[in-house]
Amino acid sequence: MTLSFNDDDLEYCAGLVREGDPDRFAAAMLAPMPQRAYLISVYAFNLEISKLRETVREAMLGEIRLQWWRDAVAECAAGSPRRHQVVHPLAVTLQAAELPQEVLLEAIDIRSADLDDLPPANETALQRYVEASGGAIGEIALRCLLPSGAGPKDWAAGRAAGRAWAWIGLARGLHPHRILGRRTVPASILKASPELDLAIERAEISPAVRDWVRWLVDQAKQDLTIVRISAKDRRARPVLAQARLASIYADRLERGGFDPFQPERNTMGQARRALALAGVSILGRVV
């Protein structure tokens, strides 16, 4: 059975993404329909699974919700989605764009880490987290825009853009995440710099904070280089545009001495965002 979008569901998803992920919402507007609707559905799904830490009181309740999403994705793949304002648009997108179920499950499974009060063990563990969260969503989003005949290099570009966005998100969200109880700095780093966790909690800049943010920005820049080399298909621009926005945030953090606690460097006004996205759309300046 061929599924189709419901206007009310799409409007709900658009509102969710507009408020919760305004930068990627604006980038998605570069895509034509129905690909724009596909992207909005994917980003709404991502918000649903990434905000669990903020919406549940106990880790077990979060795990139950993640299993709910695993079951929902299986139903979407079977063409019989449950009634939910995000699930149904996701089912339409999965069917129309031929999205691989395993990549959606990859994005769901890694969110168990968000429910853990313990930090990742080391930088390698954090890199795995970024790959399975930001990277997976980047690949899924790019698959919404390119035909199934596209290859691994295309998906690698989407993953690199998603990872770059995630690295910058970790830097920008360092203090907010800590306030919510999430420790995103690896235990190995905290052991070497015991004062770092308290400085982040208090939003106090220190050499250890600057060093950590510099490392996050360096990771993002490595992925931005991959995007720059791989970005060949014009149709991919609405997804790869997040790399352009990540690049702007990275430059701001660097100019600010890697201080992540300055609100003016962590947000982008509509005019600046529109200018950056116009450069992507018209000039193809992805990074």
Side-chain angles (χ1 to χ4, degrees):
M1 180 180 67
T2 301
L3 301 173
S4 59
F5 285 116
N6 175 292
D7 289 342
D8 290 340
D9 289 345
L10 271 184
E11 185 176 346
Y12 174 83
C13 289
L16 195 66
V17 180
R18 186 186 296 111
E19 180 178 349
D21 196 352
D23 288 330
R24 286 201 287 200
F25 176 83
M29 294 301 103
L30 299 177
M33 290 294 283
Q35 287 79 10
R36 183 188 306 170
Y38 300 161
L39 291 179
I40 292 299
S41 302
V42 168
Y43 294 147
F45 158 73
N46 182 57
L47 284 172
E48 287 280 331
I49 60 174
S50 65
K51 299 292 186 181
L52 282 178
R53 177 83 193 209
E54 303 170 27
T55 58
V56 299
R57 295 182 179 179
E58 299 178 12
M60 182 56 67
L61 296 176
E63 293 291 355
I64 291 172
R65 191 61 177 173
L66 289 175
Q67 185 57 50
W68 187 95
W69 274 104
R70 293 184 189 97
D71 295 340
V73 166
E75 292 168 3
C76 290
S80 55
R82 60 188 63 184
R83 182 65 210 136
H84 184 275
Q85 287 177 296
V86 176
V87 171
H88 190 269
L90 182 66
V92 177
T93 300
L94 191 151
Q95 183 182 79
E98 300 179 1
L99 300 181
Q101 184 178 348
E102 61 270 18
V103 184
L104 290 165
L105 293 175
E106 178 186 3
I108 294 171
D109 290 345
I110 197 60
R111 290 300 173 178
S112 289
D114 294 344
L115 304 172
D116 195 340
D117 291 334
L118 298 175
N122 48 41
E123 293 97 317
T124 300
L126 185 61
Q127 288 168 334
R128 287 197 297 267
Y129 173 84
V130 167
E131 179 65 52
S133 55
I137 294 298
E139 177 182 341
I140 293 167
L142 197 62
R143 284 178 180 271
C144 291
L145 300 182
L146 300 184
S148 56
K153 289 185 178 180
D154 298 296
W155 312 146
R159 280 192 171 259
R163 289 195 304 269
W165 187 250
W167 288 121
I168 294 301
L170 287 173
R172 294 169 63 205
L174 203 56
H175 176 63
H177 289 159
R178 183 63 188 85
I179 294 302
L180 289 170
R182 285 185 59 196
R183 289 178 166 86
T184 58
V185 181
S188 58
I189 300 296
L190 295 176
K191 183 178 181 180
S193 302
E195 77 283 3
L196 179 55
D197 190 52
L198 185 59
I200 292 170
E201 184 177 347
R202 293 177 175 176
E204 295 175 350
I205 192 62
S206 71
V209 170
R210 294 186 195 276
D211 287 345
W212 177 243
V213 174
R214 181 184 291 108
W215 187 84
L216 292 172
V217 170
D218 286 345
Q219 300 305 301
K221 286 185 174 182
Q222 291 177 31
D223 283 318
L224 291 172
T225 298
I226 296 173
V227 175
R228 185 181 298 112
I229 295 171
S230 306
K232 305 298 182 183
D233 197 317
R234 292 175 58 92
R235 294 168 298 177
R237 290 177 183 176
V239 168
L240 301 185
Q242 64 188 300
R244 176 64 189 142
L245 299 179
S247 177
I248 292 172
Y249 283 121
D251 289 343
R252 287 182 173 186
L253 285 165
E254 188 168 6
R255 289 197 304 270
F258 300 102
D259 181 353
F261 307 132
Q262 301 179 42
E264 66 275 11
R265 297 189 182 278
N266 279 340
T267 57
M268 195 177 301
Q270 291 185 4
R272 181 65 185 93
R273 184 192 299 129
L275 181 62
L277 294 177
V280 174
S281 178
I282 299 171
L283 304 176
R285 187 181 181 187
V286 173
V287 178

